[in-house]
Amino acid sequence: MNRPSTDPVALFEAAREGKRLALARLMSLVERGGDAARVLGAHTYSQIGAAYTVGMTGAPGSGKSSLAAELASVVRSEQQRLAILAVDPSSPYTGGAILGDRVRMQDHVTDDGIYIRSMATRGHLGGLSLAAPQAIRVLDALSWPWILVETVGVGQVEVEIAGAADTTIVVVNPGWGDAVQANKAGLMEIADIFVINKSDRKGADDTRRDIQQMLELSSLGDWEPPIVMTVATDHIGADELWQTVGEHRSYLQESGELQVRRNLRVQAELTEIVTQSLEQRVINTMESPETAELKEKLARGEIDPYAAAARLIELSNG
Ligand SMILES: Nc1nc2c(ncn2[C@@H]2O[C@H](COP(=O)(O)OP(=O)(O)O)[C@@H](O)[C@H]2O)c(=O)[nH]1
Ligand SMILES: [Mg+2]
């Protein structure tokens, strides 16, 4: 029998009663993936759909965590609750960063209406691309109405995670070429809202123009991504940003695009789960003694790679 501390369903129920430690353990289970994540997925699936997910991505140091802290204040002033998932191993919210004065997140640490969790990359298959949506679902099932996912806008997986939100915010800074860099990283395509944070610095207007020009060159739908200027460290712009998120949400709901997006998202996740489990199965087969002879034959040129592959797939299905 599972002890309560590792039984995912028991942890989920304890987390539902507001127990923070249970929630922390639950998120660790999700991070690790495997059976516990599967059980949890089945247990929570019928209880999701009410949460709204906001992704925020941009280069390291662009001010995402500072903005997240600012948004947390806005959300709390509206008596709403917000969960923040930081998928950024380089600047986790845990330990020093959260308690230090670098980011004003310490105001929120003891607030029941705010939950902050950083997720680290795991060293095995599945990784963050599967853990992040699962973590979002758990928070959704626990009735967190708003979930903000912060990821560094470098690396395909990170960009994908942020882009898989209902609303995606792309954060850039003033300075020559920042918008161009964001474009190269594939951030232009996923942006529903642009933020030029550190607008206290020189070149903010130029950056705005750069983004506008890039937007004009790309094929837009009915929603033209607004550009919001912020200075997170001076509490400027977070209200407007949150209002813009609300407008985008209304747009998605009224146009029916929210459901379309969510359908595409869950289909992409399905593909990912299938791909990764097949990949794992093939790797297991490759390592099994049964394939030793096959590999030797391949090495001796007695069988061609395609025929060997067909045999290997047969073995992995068996
Ligand atoms: N001048 C200025 N500095 C900022 C602003 N927003 C954040 N910073 C600073 O930029 C640094 C990186 O911020 P952080 O929120 O950790 O960025 P992240 O890596 O994107 O999460 C910190 O030293 C912040 O104090 C801003 O609007 N103006
Ligand atoms: Mg950060």
Side-chain angles (χ1 to χ4, degrees):
M1 209 185 84
N2 276 332
R3 287 179 307 143
S5 60
T6 54
D7 174 13
V9 173
L11 281 174
F12 178 83
E13 295 307 326
R16 214 212 305 260
E17 286 162 23
K19 302 211 172 78
R20 284 296 170 112
L21 188 59
L23 179 51
R25 287 188 177 144
L26 198 58
M27 297 304 260
S28 300
L29 284 184
V30 169
E31 221 167 28
R32 261 178 254 139
D35 283 343
R38 243 192 310 279
V39 169
L40 211 49
H43 186 69
T44 54
Y45 204 70
S46 60
Q47 307 173 46
I48 59 164
Y52 194 83
T53 319
V54 179
M56 181 154 65
T57 191
S62 53
K64 300 179 296 296
S65 298
S66 310
L67 277 170
E70 287 291 293
L71 290 179
S73 300
V74 178
V75 174
R76 291 309 282 149
S77 74
E78 294 178 354
Q79 274 79 48
Q80 301 224 41
R81 292 155 63 247
L82 173 74
I84 300 172
L85 271 183
V87 187
D88 182 358
S90 68
S91 61
Y93 279 110
T94 46
I98 194 169
L99 298 171
D101 58 6
R102 200 173 68 89
V103 168
R104 288 185 60 261
M105 200 51 92
Q106 69 269 29
D107 298 355
H108 304 299
V109 174
T110 55
D111 181 349
D112 277 348
I114 298 286
Y115 176 70
I116 305 161
R117 167 86 192 189
S118 48
M119 292 186 84
T121 318
R122 299 172 309 163
H124 61 89
L125 276 171
L128 286 169
S129 53
L130 286 187
Q134 183 66 10
I136 291 167
R137 264 200 297 274
V138 167
L139 292 167
D140 185 348
L142 289 170
S143 304
W144 287 90
W146 293 96
I147 302 167
L148 179 68
V149 185
E150 174 192 337
T151 77
V152 280
V154 284
Q156 198 190 342
V157 169
E158 288 79 1
V159 171
E160 267 170 27
I161 290 171
D166 294 321
T167 294
T168 301
I169 301 171
V170 168
V171 182
V172 296
N173 293 149
W176 191 84
D178 208 37
V180 179
Q181 285 309 320
N183 196 11
K184 278 191 193 150
L187 300 186
M188 285 286 156
E189 292 133 60
I190 62 165
D192 298 307
I193 298 168
F194 285 98
V195 168
I196 304 177
N197 187 46
K198 308 196 185 182
S199 286
D200 50 324
R201 297 197 174 161
K202 269 210 300 273
D205 289 333
D206 293 338
T207 302
R208 179 190 264 270
R209 204 162 36 236
D210 286 350
I211 294 170
Q212 259 157 0
Q213 273 168 7
M214 277 179 223
L215 287 175
E216 279 159 24
L217 294 174
S218 60
S219 50
L220 289 173
D222 294 333
W223 175 263
E224 192 178 325
I227 305 169
V228 181
M229 315 287 265
T230 62
V231 186
T233 41
D234 288 343
H235 316 300
I236 296 172
D239 284 302
E240 188 190 340
L241 177 56
W242 195 244
Q243 193 188 323
T244 310
V245 169
E247 284 162 13
H248 185 244
R249 180 180 187 164
S250 303
Y251 160 77
L252 288 181
Q253 280 167 337
E254 283 155 24
S255 64
E257 210 193 306
L258 184 61
Q259 202 49 51
V260 174
R261 274 189 183 202
R262 289 183 172 184
N263 291 348
L264 286 173
R265 198 154 85 207
V266 78
Q267 280 166 33
E269 193 185 349
L270 172 67
T271 306
E272 184 78 13
I273 294 169
V274 172
T275 306
Q276 290 188 358
S277 51
L278 289 180
E279 192 174 337
Q280 189 58 59
R281 202 191 279 177
V282 168
I283 288 169
N284 292 344
T285 309
M286 286 289 281
E287 287 165 358
S288 77
E290 283 171 298
T291 50
E293 198 195 321
L294 190 68
K295 283 189 235 168
E296 278 165 26
K297 277 187 177 173
L298 183 66
R300 289 197 298 266
E302 290 167 22
I303 187 171
D304 72 277
Y306 281 90
R311 179 74 193 116
L312 198 122
I313 289 166
E314 258 173 48
L315 284 171
S316 69
N317 283 335

